[in-house]
Amino acid sequence: MNDAEPLPTTDPALLSVLAELRAREPLFHHPELGTSAEDLEQQMAPDFFEVGASGRRYSRDFVKDALLRRYAAGGEDPWETSDFHCRDLGRDTYLLTYALRQDQRLSRRVTVWRRAATGWQVLYHQGTLVTD
């Protein structure tokens, strides 16, 4: 990827957090983390929402229902991630950014994660298409 700006570097103190979060991305593409409604509810904060590449806002319930349909349909969903960066936002809250390639489609992703007593919870997610 040839961006005009250099990639940010993750603070070495956050490398273990980066490794944990990187293993969870792309978001909701890891069936080993759970594919049931209960699994998804545990992974998403109650006030979670997503902004898609179109700019449209998607609620927690909308995302959960779409994911349950996708999991039920099965099939392959090939993707490749790169350029991960993690930033500490405050008390157990982190910003993770990365690039996602799905066939010819390239997007920049941002996810805000919180470490909760029950494990990692996603607070916010957004995907922005990269254009020439």
Side-chain angles (χ1 to χ4, degrees):
M1 186 173 323
N2 186 11
D3 285 337
E5 294 289 323
L7 292 174
T9 57
T10 298
D11 181 331
L14 296 177
L15 292 179
S16 64
V17 172
L18 174 63
E20 287 183 53
L21 296 179
R22 186 177 179 156
R24 304 183 78 82
E25 298 281 357
L27 187 60
F28 306 126
H29 284 72
H30 291 273
E32 69 275 12
L33 298 175
T35 58
S36 71
E38 295 78 18
D39 294 330
L40 294 172
E41 287 169 4
Q42 186 174 12
Q43 292 176 53
M44 291 187 275
D47 58 348
F48 167 82
F49 71 98
E50 177 174 330
V51 175
S54 66
R56 183 174 174 193
R57 184 182 188 279
Y58 298 100
S59 70
R60 180 181 194 250
D61 287 339
F62 181 92
V63 171
K64 181 179 71 171
D65 292 344
L67 289 167
L68 291 172
R69 285 191 303 275
R70 183 175 80 196
Y71 296 151
E76 291 200 24
D77 187 14
W79 45 264
E80 177 184 328
T81 55
S82 62
D83 302 340
F84 281 91
H85 174 255
C86 184
R87 170 179 266 172
D88 186 349
L89 295 179
R91 187 179 176 124
D92 294 321
T93 305
Y94 302 90
L95 174 73
L96 185 74
T97 59
Y98 62 98
L100 175 67
R101 182 171 298 281
Q102 296 167 291
D103 293 321
Q104 298 303 310
R105 180 181 173 176
L106 178 63
S107 59
R108 288 278 178 199
R109 300 293 173 123
V110 59
T111 310
V112 178
W113 288 97
R114 177 178 58 217
R115 191 189 316 253
T118 58
W120 287 106
Q121 280 193 323
V122 61
L123 303 172
Y124 174 80
H125 182 72
Q126 181 170 345
T128 304
L129 292 179
V130 175
T131 59
D132 293 329

